[in-house]
């Protein structure tokens, strides 16, 4: 069913575009690039969720708040730099300082949370740390709101030479987006090197496999877990800066939605699997950027009758053929095509006003669909025995 | 007449052939032991019969009904009960409650009866409790009296194993599968349990299949012994025959042996 | 505990263990940090208006003053790092921790006086400084704080070694003074209802809070009451209750139930409108809490999208009965004695069941945390859909649906604005819910739920259709929430999507957990304490001043409960066993030892 809607929308959007309604090619390109940038941010956040789930086996609800805290403290740093004039005179240095501040704050917060709330519950039944993390998320959100106020804090604007668009492979990309993607790539590479090559990284993977055996091998499990949280926190700090550059406004609720979406990305890529988390993030970012405008808008397209009949025929053939070959994928595609054909014949369209409101519905629907149908993710989970379903 | 008839059972776990064409049958009232070296596929065998996994190929006929691919609770309802290799009681429910809940598929009161406290509901609750006590009485002094209200996790290891069997009995099965019932017991407890297994058949009429490593138990209680190795049956017969079978000895010890005493 | 054998056998005061200075240091600093935090989030300024003992002690200051006491106690407590026996060591620990906190705090005051940090921290402005320095300048204030924190820390340390009786006396005195002060509204209401206003007039001072005289009397009275207690801890009494003869327990329960019913019937008549409204809200939360209790506590499914069912019930009712909705049929109101009313109720029931099945079926097979997130997703999807412009023609979008007519009982109208009527209506539903929940617990269904919560695979092996059982729990929870939504729509008269946020699901979860997962009285107590005192997401509690802080407190409560007492305040007996298995094993072992000779058992 979902596939049917997606195909319909996708094709419809293209057709509409061709007819002159819908989105222009330039608009598409912009959405695409924005999607990648946002996806990279989700990916960095997803890493934190993925790693913690891989090692400790529960969803760290508070990770979204770790991200938010970094962004907010970063704001104060940026503001101070701005007041001191440094923001404009030496932007590179300023951004570096803010980055360090954000990363440090997020890392510190993540490690603190682990020490206070999660370590004592190491052996409790799995629901309990989950509920605790919900409590912590709540607490931090509201503490920040009370401490610094509920108003949105807007970062000072990046200098004009950065926000101007850059021509790149036929894409006109704002410089800020480039910066964001560069940041993401650097962090990911650094992280990958760290986990795959260093001894600590090896230890982390060992602990994720089996805590007890790792301890028997002489690995200091506590220290490794702290490192896991620290690394996740650091990545969240980078993500916080990326958010600041892209959207400029942060407040105490900034962490909630991105947190959930990042978790979806983590599951999508296969929980516990770090490369998967990054891919999942980018995929989700793209889907979120293109999704509503692509899929939902395209549902308004009227499928011409001739095409509809062709689709019907193709679809039925696919279903029968798929059954014969015992390939369920083909059957599903065939069913989707048949549905499309039926829709075309009947002249049915869905016009959805107020598409942007439903952007979050897309994200949540993705979350629900992924978790229900493919909880193992696209690239396979990496969990210890006891955490598997 | 066969209560359970299995033909050509195959199961692959991601490249590992747990069962590779197993044929097996049990007649009514028999006590059959399934033995074999570790990794031979014995617990997978039980898991497939009871529905936790579906076989890749093969038939499992229970009283001429094919049960392959059914859900575990459906299979229990049809009349097959099992115990687990590592004790899986409901640790925080009392002894009595453990045995009461096992009668779930044999009782019918639903939400409405519960809410309206109908006479039928009350009657069934009483029956459930009485039946539970009756099953527990099978174990003599071990699981009676003040024990009924103790949470299961405080029981001694041997008592926990007995409770496992009591639970299996409470599902009112025809066939009971015991997975290493004497693991971890001392000789006195083992002897007591061996008698118990025999009583399960003699007094209560159950058909029993048991997986065991302790050969004394196998020798004392089995009508027939089936030996598995690498997912296939390599020998079958009474204990004496099987224990002298060179294939069996090789499977356990890894080389042909001139051992004359088993 | 890391006692050596010699230490256990040694007489009490032979080897006074040394003060653990690093611990004192740590807790001293943490105490100061906590006090600064409390000030920074604005609690002190916001709560200063509420007086406890007029004119000296305000609630704002109370929020600061408990810190050195508690931290003094913590610093003085033995734990794994500081084995030993109670003694002077504890008093000294407390005594030193206090001033350390005070020092830190004084330093804090100096800083916020010297620098203007209001750009970053909103609340650290001159008003706060004024308050904290008592208007007398920083130097004097610093000294005052250090000294008073020292004394309070000393109090903490002393309390630690005080005999149990003394502790209960002091505890009772403190709690009752604060309690009576804060519950001023209820006390005044009751005295008004009973026509003994003069009592209230005497107890309370003109601008709120107790008069010094009444504070003294109340403190003395409860201290005497504390004298009566045998000093047993709550845990010991709970254990006693568990092992009571079932006959005795039954009789006690009946008495408690009768008293509660009498209270429910007669209290609204003497309480004022505001309080009744508050109780009505509490009732709604109890209703939903009981539903979630079945889903989470009995079946072990963490449903974070629970608010969706509440929304379904409310919207269904509104859509069916409001003249402004496209599905309106004239004459359809929630009149319980009419055919149309019955139709409304039935349809709400059906919709709740459908929603429960739709949401429940796909998520049943998921593991714990995934289930939580997916249900969260569902909840949000439903809310956004209700909010969207796309479905606005049916559900009103952001404007919601208004003009929901009031309920009725035959010819008698149960107006949403009449808080008394609403209270009785809700109480009736709550009563029914309690009955249903209670009956389900000790039944075949309830046992099946417990079994599947303990070990799902083993439950399957016992013949329990786990999928069906989980779905049943889910649907029953949905029905409770659906009915709560129905009453909510009628009570408030108009519904907006903003009432159905994720926040609500989490608050209900907090109630269930703090009260006690799987325990019916626990949920009731949880709702009364949390919603009644602190307030719900949009409703005020008794302590209105806590309004902005209640979410913070909920979060903190959740964390603290999980760390210290995961079974809740009034736990289900079984749950408590679950979470304290080690202690229970020891008890059982002891019991066995003593009955060994009886049976010769193994």
């Amino acid at each position: 069913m979902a596939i049917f809607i997606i195909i319909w929308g996708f094709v419809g959007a293209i057709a509409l575009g061709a007819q002159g309604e819908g989105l222009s090619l330039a608009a598409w390109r912009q959405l695409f690039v924005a999607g990648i940038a946002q996806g990279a941010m989700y990916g960095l956040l997803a890493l934190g969720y993925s790693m913690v789930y891989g090692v400790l086996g529960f969803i760290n609800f508070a990770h979204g708040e770790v991200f938010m805290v970094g962004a907010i403290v970063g704001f104060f740093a940026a503001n101070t730099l701005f007041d001191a004039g440094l923001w404009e005179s030496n932007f590179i240095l300023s951004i570096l300082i803010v980055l360090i501040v954000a990363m440090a704050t997020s890392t510190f917060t993540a490690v603190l949370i682990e020490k206070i709330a999660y370590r004592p519950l190491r052996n409790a039944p799995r629901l309990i740390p989950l509920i605790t993390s919900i409590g912590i998320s709540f607490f931090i959100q509201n503490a920040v709101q009370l401490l610094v106020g509920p108003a949105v804090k807007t970062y000072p604007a990046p200098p004009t030479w950065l926000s101007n668009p850059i021509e790149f492979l036929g894409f006109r990309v704002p410089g800020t987006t480039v910066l964001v993607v560069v940041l993401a790539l650097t962090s990911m590479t650094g992280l990958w090197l760290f986990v795959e090559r260093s001894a600590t990284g090896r230890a982390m993977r060992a602990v994720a496999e089996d805590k007890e055996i790792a301890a028997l091998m002489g690995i200091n499990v506590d220290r490794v877990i702290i490192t896991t949280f620290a690394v996740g926190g650091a990545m969240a700090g980078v993500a916080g800066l990326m958010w600041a550059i892209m959207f400029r406004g942060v407040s105490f609720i900034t962490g909630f939605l991105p947190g959930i979406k990042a978790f979806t990305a983590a599951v999508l890529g296969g929980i516990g699997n770090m490369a998967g988390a990054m891919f999942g993030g980018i995929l989700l970012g793209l889907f979120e950027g293109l999704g509503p405008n692509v899929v939902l808008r395209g549902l308004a397209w009227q499928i011409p009758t001739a095409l509809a009949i062709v689709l019907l025929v193709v679809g039925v053939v696919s279903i029968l053929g798929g059954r014969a070959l015992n390939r369920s994928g083909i059957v599903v595609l065939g069913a989707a095509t048949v549905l499309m054909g039926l829709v075309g014949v009947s002249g049915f369209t869905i016009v959805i006003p107020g598409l942007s409101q439903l952007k979050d519905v897309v994200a949540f629907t993705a979350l629900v669909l992924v978790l229900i149908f493919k909880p193992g993710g696209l690239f396979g989970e990496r969990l210890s025995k006891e955490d598997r379903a | 007449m066969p209560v359970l008839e299995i033909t050509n059972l195959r199961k692959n776990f991601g490249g590992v052939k747990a069962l590779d064409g197993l044929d097996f049958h049990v007649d009514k009232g028999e006590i059959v032991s399934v033995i074999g070296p570790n990794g031979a596929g014995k617990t997978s065998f039980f898991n497939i019969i009871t529905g936790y996994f579906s076989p890749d190929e093969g038939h499992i006929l229970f009283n001429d009904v094919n049960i392959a691919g059914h859900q575990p609770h459906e299979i229990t309802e049809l009349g097959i009960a099992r115990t687990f290799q590592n004790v899986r009681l409901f640790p925080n429910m009392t002894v009595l409650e453990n045995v009461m809940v096992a009668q779930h598929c044999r009782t019918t009161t639903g939400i409405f009866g519960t809410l309206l406290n109908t006479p039928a509901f009350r009657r069934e609750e009483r029956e459930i409790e009485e039946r539970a006590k009756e099953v527990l009485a099978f174990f003599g002094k071990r699981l009676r009296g003040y024990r009924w209200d103790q949470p299961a996790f405080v029981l001694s290891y041997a008592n926990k194993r007995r409770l496992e069997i009591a639970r299996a009995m409470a599902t009112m099965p025809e066939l009971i599968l015991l997975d290493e019932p004497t693991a971890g017991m001392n000789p006195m407890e083992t002897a007591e349990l061996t008698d118990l297994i025999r009583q399960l058949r003699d007094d209560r009429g159950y058909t029993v299949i048991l997986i065991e490593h302790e050969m004394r138990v196998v020798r004392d209680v089995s009508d027939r012994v089936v030996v598995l190795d690498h997912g296939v049956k390599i020998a079958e017969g009474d204990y004496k025959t099987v224990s002298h079978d060179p294939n069996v000895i090789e499977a356990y010890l890894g080389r042909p042996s001139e051992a004359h005493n088993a | 505990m890391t006692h050596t054998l010699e230490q256990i056998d040694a007489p009490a005061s032979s080897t006074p263990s040394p003060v653990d200075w690093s611990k004192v240091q740590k807790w001293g600093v943490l105490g100061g940090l906590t006090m600064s935090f409390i000030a920074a989030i604005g609690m002190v300024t916001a709560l200063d208006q509420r007086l406890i003992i007029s004119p000296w002690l305000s609630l704002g200051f109370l929020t600061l003053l408990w810190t050195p006491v508690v931290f003094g106690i913590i610093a003085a407590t033995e734990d794994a790092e500081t084995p030993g026996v109670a003694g002077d060591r504890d008093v000294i620990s407390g005594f030193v921790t206090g001033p350390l906190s005070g020092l830190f705090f004084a330093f804090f005051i100096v800083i916020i006086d010297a620098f203007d940090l209001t750009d970053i921290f909103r609340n650290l402005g001159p008003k706060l400084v004024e308050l904290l320095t008592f208007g007398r300048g920083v130097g004097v204030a610093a000294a005052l704080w250090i000294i008073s924190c020292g004394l309070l820390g000393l109090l903490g340390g002393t309390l630690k070694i005080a005999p149990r009786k003394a502790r209960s006396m002091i505890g009772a005195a403190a709690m009752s003074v604060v309690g009576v002060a804060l519950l001023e509204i209820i006390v005044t209401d009751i005295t008004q209802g009973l026509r003994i206003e003069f009592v209230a007039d005497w107890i309370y001072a003109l601008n709120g809070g107790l008069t010094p005289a009444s504070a003294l009397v109340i403190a003395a009275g409860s201290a005497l009451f504390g004298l009566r207690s045998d000093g047993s801890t709550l845990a010991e009494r709970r254990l006693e209750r568990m092992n009571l003869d079932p006959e005795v327990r039954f009789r006690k329960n009946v008495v408690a139930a009768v008293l509660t019913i009498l209270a429910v019937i007669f209290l609204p008549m003497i309480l004022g409108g505001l309080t009744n409204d508050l109780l009505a809200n509490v009732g709604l939360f109890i209703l939903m809490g009981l539903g979630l209790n079945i889903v989470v506590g009995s079946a072990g499914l963490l449903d974070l999208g629970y608010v969706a069912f509440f929304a379904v019930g409310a919207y269904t009712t509104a859509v069916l009965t409001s003249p402004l909705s496209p599905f309106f049929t004239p004459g359809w109101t929630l009149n319980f004695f009419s055919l149309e009313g019955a139709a409304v109720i039935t349809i709400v029931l059906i919709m709740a069941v459908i929603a429960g099945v739709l949401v429940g079926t796909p998520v049943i097979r998921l593991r714990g945390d995934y289930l939580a997130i997916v249900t969260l997703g569902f909840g949000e999807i439903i809310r956004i859909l209700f909010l969207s412009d796309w479905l606005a023609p049916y559900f009103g979008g952001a404007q919601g649906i208004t003009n929901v007519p009031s309920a009725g009982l035959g010819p008698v109208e149960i107006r949403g604005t009449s808080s008394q009527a609403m209270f009785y209506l809700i109480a009736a539903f709550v009563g029914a819910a309690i009955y249903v929940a209670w009956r389900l617990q000790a039944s075949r269904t309830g046992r099946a739920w417990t079994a599947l919560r303990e070990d799902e695979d083993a439950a399957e092996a016992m013949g329990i259709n786990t999928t069906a059982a989980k779905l049943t729990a889910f649907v029953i929870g949905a029905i409770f929430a659906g009915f709560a939504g129905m009453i909510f729509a009628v009570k408030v008269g108009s519904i907006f999507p903003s009432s159905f946020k994720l926040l609500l699901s989490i608050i209900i979860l907090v109630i269930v957990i703090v009260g006690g997962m799987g325990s019916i009285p626990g949920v009731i107590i949880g709702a009364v304490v949390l919603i009644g005192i602190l307030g719900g997401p949009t409703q005020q509690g008794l302590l209105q001043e806590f309004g902005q802080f209640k979410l913070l407190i909920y979060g903190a409560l959740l964390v603290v409960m999980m760390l210290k007492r995961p079974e809740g305040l009034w736990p289900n007996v079984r749950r408590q066993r679950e979470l304290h298995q080690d202690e229970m094993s020891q008890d059982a072992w002891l019991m066995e030892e003593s009955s060994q000779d009886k049976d010769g058992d193994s």
Side-chain angles (χ1 to χ4, degrees), chain C residues 416-428:
Chain C
T417 44
S418 155
S419 49
Q420 243 189 18
M422 274 292 123
F423 175 79
Y424 284 125
L425 175 64
I426 294 180

Side-chain angles (χ1 to χ4, degrees), chain B residues 52 71-73 76 82 84 88-94 97 100-102 104-105 107-109 111 114-117 121 125 128 141-142 144 146-147 150-151 153-154 156 159 162 167 171, chain C residues 435-436 439-440 442-445 447-448 450-452 454-455 457-467 472 476 574 577-579 581-582 584-585 588 591-592 595 598-602:
Chain B
Y52 285 95
Q71 296 271 323
H73 67 267
T76 309
R82 77 169 290 179
F84 291 90
R88 291 179 79 160
L89 296 170
F90 301 122
N92 296 289
M93 295 176 82
T94 64
E97 282 170 348
M100 283 167 76
V101 81
H104 190 92
C105 61
T107 48
T108 52
T109 315
I111 307 256
T114 313
L115 292 182
L116 301 174
N117 202 5
F121 165 75
E125 283 286 303
I128 294 178
K141 294 191 298 177
R142 301 298 186 191
R144 68 120 194 252
Y146 72 93
R147 289 246 183 255
Q150 283 189 333
F153 70 84
V154 309
S156 66
N159 271 338
R162 292 181 193 121
R167 269 195 335 178
T171 66
Chain C
Y435 175 71
V436 168
R439 284 230 58 86
L440 283 175
S443 71
R444 177 175 167 262
T445 321
R447 279 193 295 270
T450 314
L452 91 85
E454 301 243 318
D455 188 338
D457 289 333
E460 276 273 342
M462 293 297 115
I464 300 176
N465 185 345
T466 49
T467 317
T472 313
I476 294 185
R574 191 193 318 281
R577 271 195 222 133
E578 247 176 77
L579 295 159
Q581 276 190 6
D582 308 321
M584 301 259 121
S585 298
M591 246 184 85
E592 283 203 33
S595 55
K598 275 197 290 184
D599 282 10
D601 246 336
S602 70

Side-chain angles (χ1 to χ4, degrees), chain A residues 209-259:
Chain A
E209 279 280 342
D210 192 325
K211 276 200 281 294
E212 286 178 359
I213 305 282
L216 289 175
M217 296 282 133
I219 296 180
N220 183 345
V221 173
D222 276 348
R223 177 97 51 93
V224 168
I225 295 186
I226 296 180
T227 316
T228 312
F229 273 86
V231 170
M235 293 295 113
V238 177
L241 185 65
M242 287 167 69
W243 174 281
I245 298 179
M246 285 195 287
F247 302 108
R248 288 187 51 207
V250 296
S251 79
F252 67 101
I253 42 173
T254 310
F256 173 63
L257 270 180

